[in-house]
Amino acid sequence: MAKISRCADAFVSCSLDRDVCRPRRGLVAPFRALWGLVLLVSSAVATSPVSLGDAAEYALLSGAAITSTASQIYGDVGSLAAVTCEAVSVGDATNTWLISTQVLGGGRLYASSLAAPTPAKLKAAAFDMYKSYDDAIGRTVSAGSDYTNFRGGIISNKTVFLPGVYKWNTLVQVDGDILLVGSKDDVWIMQVTSYLSVGADVTIRLRASDNDLSSTPQATNVFWQVGAHLILGANAHLEGNCLVTVYTTFGNGATVNGRILSRGAITLTNSVVTRPPPPPSLSPPPSPSPNRPHLLTPRVCLGTAGKFSLLSKAAIKGVVSLIYGDVGGSALTFAPMMVGFDGSFWTSDQLLNGSRLFASSYLGSTPAMLATALADMDAAYADAAACPVSDDGYGIYHNFMTGAIGGSILLPGVYKWDNFVHIATSITLKGGAGDQFLFIVAEYLTIVASMRIFLVADGSNGAPQAQNIVWRISEYLVLGASAHLEGTFLANNYVTFGDQSTLNGRVLSQGAITMSKNTVVAPSPSPADCIPQCTAPPPSPP
């Protein structure tokens, strides 16, 4: 039996017994039965992204106050009024920026009350925010009846939007999960005249069209122009850049993969905001920091293992978690799980940004691909162990603080401990964006609940980057509840995430990985031309 739904200027035929929905104009977009009958809005002429200018540097930017409670924000935070959150301290002696336990991944806090040039910097970003709002609202709506006042602004469950410019002359209320389906270069602009409300436990996600599975849509190309306020319900998830006129309120546990750029106040509670990369013109490669002798740290090459956020020779279990990056293991449990179109991968609502699940029992080239990645993981583990300890003339890099490193500030280099390492209070890694940190732990590594690893710049070249931090652990890794780690963790035994703990990095483990309500954000992998520097590379074939 087939059902017909009117969509723009074409009909969509949905065969319930074949699990396929097909626009009759040649766009083939199969969707599994999990999504049942969906409404596909026909594709529009290509739309260019909205330019955010200097505002793109921020995860949160407001012309009013920003108040954050027990949240994790990956990216800079800026307010022309004031920022209120836990454990704020001065970032450097110039008093131009601040740090907080809630601002992660090297992010900073900026407020107009800080020393010059911060006030001028914030005003420039705010001006660009206002211009981007005007740009978004001025875009021409895509042709087709469903691009204007689609469903009267009441968006129900299991609705799919293709790229284009949409406009509502009313409020928009998202009552059920929706998908934005397209490719990495596609753009969505949602013009909302009144307020935007996303219901509790509702998710707005990005998904690649089935004819281009290698090209997942990017949150940086999604724009929500909101004429009034934005409300995210408890545990809701939204993708994209939100340009908001009035205030923005996060319900408990709400998450955003994108930015909140608001003229009014922003309030967060136990929330996660992950800023996507700025446009290339705003993110030039960092200049190398002036290396002192003991900062010349070798880079650990991850090979194809660096393509994963989580990789294990054993089982991986995720419970109500958010994972930005592929996952590979011998057995995977991530409810709900959905098989990919050819059986070579699976997907899950716990994996974001087009990330996929790969297990050794899957079809096609997956077993061979995983075998290569696991071999590269073993090589990285061996290479890290062979790196010589940094020599500063004082011996502090060997058995530093006998492993009880809580409260320490660590500079770049190779550290080695002959026993376990325990982080009882938050630590700081201080250096430049290009500096390398390698930690070799002969036994296990543990971090106490609610403790953090901070990344802080020691000059003008930016803060250390998670992809340049490697922890090589001979036994197991345990994160306490709500703890936060940075870097790649090569573990020789099991890894356990405490409830709501977070990682900006990846876990590559010989043993099982167990998660519970966690967030893992995979950084960039090591360069493809990376050469092991501590162990000899295999000889070239004759």
Side-chain angles (χ1 to χ4, degrees), residues 342-344 362-368:
D342 62 356
S344 64
Y362 292 176
L363 303 180
S365 61
T366 296

Side-chain angles (χ1 to χ4, degrees), residues 1 59 69 71 138 226 248 281 285 292 314 323 347 350 369 446 503 510 524 531:
M1 176 181 178
T69 303
S71 297
V226 184
T248 300
S281 61
R292 298 182 292 276
I323 302 170
T347 62
Q350 296 187 54
M369 180 270 289
T446 56
L503 167 65
Q510 304 286 328
S524 301
I531 299 175

Side-chain angles (χ1 to χ4, degrees), residues 85-151:
C85 55
E86 291 100 346
V88 175
S89 57
V90 175
D92 67 356
T94 65
N95 194 34
T96 57
W97 52 277
L98 307 171
I99 59 174
S100 167
T101 56
Q102 294 187 49
V103 182
L104 309 172
R108 300 177 177 182
L109 293 171
Y110 295 95
S112 56
S113 59
L114 296 174
T118 296
K121 170 186 173 75
L122 285 171
K123 288 179 180 179
F127 181 72
D128 286 347
M129 174 178 71
Y130 301 150
K131 288 197 301 182
S132 63
Y133 182 95
D134 292 341
D135 181 11
I137 200 173
R139 295 299 182 94
T140 301
V141 179
S142 300
S145 60
D146 283 306
Y147 285 95
T148 301
N149 294 326
F150 175 60
R151 290 189 174 175

Side-chain angles (χ1 to χ4, degrees), residues 163-499:
V165 180
Y166 299 79
K167 182 179 180 64
W168 289 268
N169 295 320
T170 59
L171 61 88
V172 170
Q173 183 173 316
V174 184
D175 292 330
D177 296 351
I178 66 174
L179 290 177
L180 308 185
V181 176
S183 66
K184 68 181 180 66
D185 295 322
D186 287 330
V187 176
W188 287 257
I189 300 177
M190 310 297 202
Q191 301 171 351
V192 183
T193 301
S194 184
Y195 67 83
L196 171 63
S197 173
V198 181
D201 300 310
V202 170
T203 61
I204 298 174
R205 298 190 185 278
L206 307 176
R207 192 68 54 86
S209 56
D210 278 16
N211 60 346
D212 193 13
L213 283 170
S214 64
S215 181
T216 301
Q218 304 296 305
T220 197
N221 289 333
V222 179
F223 303 89
W224 302 85
Q225 174 264 313
V226 184
H229 56 266
L230 167 63
I231 297 179
L232 300 176
N235 301 312
H237 177 77
L238 182 145
E239 299 269 346
N241 305 285
C242 299
L243 301 162
V244 184
T245 304
V246 194
Y247 62 83
T248 300
T249 301
F250 285 65
N252 185 61
T255 58
V256 169
N257 181 33
R259 302 174 178 86
I260 303 295
L261 310 177
S262 177
R263 301 187 185 196
I266 303 173
T267 305
L268 304 89
T269 304
N270 193 30
S271 304
V272 178
V273 179
T274 305
R275 190 209 70 177
S281 61
L282 292 179
S283 55
S287 302
S289 60
N291 287 309
R292 298 182 292 276
H294 65 280
L295 300 188
L296 296 175
T297 307
R299 180 188 298 274
V300 176
C301 303
L302 302 180
T304 59
K307 298 179 181 179
F308 291 85
S309 60
L310 303 174
L311 180 64
S312 173
K313 291 185 177 180
I316 304 177
K317 181 178 181 181
V319 178
V320 198
S321 295
L322 299 174
I323 302 170
Y324 297 82
D326 289 342
V327 175
S330 64
L332 306 175
T333 305
F334 287 85
M337 292 175 62
M338 298 148 282
V339 66
F341 77 103
D342 62 356
S344 64
F345 67 91
W346 287 58
T347 62
S348 169
D349 285 346
Q350 296 187 54
L351 272 69
L352 307 178
N353 279 10
S355 304
R356 305 178 189 180
L357 298 166
F358 297 93
S360 53
S361 60
Y362 292 176
L363 303 180
S365 61
T366 296
M369 180 270 289
L370 274 179
T372 300
L374 292 171
D376 287 347
M377 176 180 75
D378 289 343
Y381 185 83
D383 185 44
C387 291
V389 178
S390 296
D391 181 12
D392 64 340
Y394 299 95
I396 67 169
Y397 286 86
H398 187 216
N399 290 328
F400 177 65
M401 301 294 290
T402 65
I405 63 174
S408 301
I409 298 176
L410 304 175
L411 299 178
V414 179
Y415 295 76
K416 183 175 182 179
W417 290 271
D418 297 328
N419 53 2
F420 65 84
V421 169
H422 181 61
I423 304 176
T425 56
S426 297
I427 66 172
T428 298
L429 307 186
K430 190 172 184 179
D435 288 334
Q436 306 288 320
F437 295 77
L438 173 57
F439 304 99
I440 305 170
V441 183
E443 296 181 6
Y444 58 84
L445 170 63
T446 56
I447 179 168
V448 169
S450 301
M451 295 302 106
R452 302 282 191 270
I453 295 177
F454 295 109
L455 307 182
V456 175
D458 67 352
S460 60
N461 295 309
Q465 304 296 303
Q467 61 263 35
N468 295 331
I469 302 166
V470 175
W471 302 76
R472 192 267 194 192
I473 307 163
S474 294
E475 295 182 8
Y476 56 84
L477 166 64
V478 175
L479 288 78
S482 300
H484 175 76
L485 294 181
E486 297 271 350
T488 294
F489 292 80
L490 298 162
N492 197 38
N493 207 317
Y494 65 85
V495 176
T496 301
F497 284 75
D499 191 57

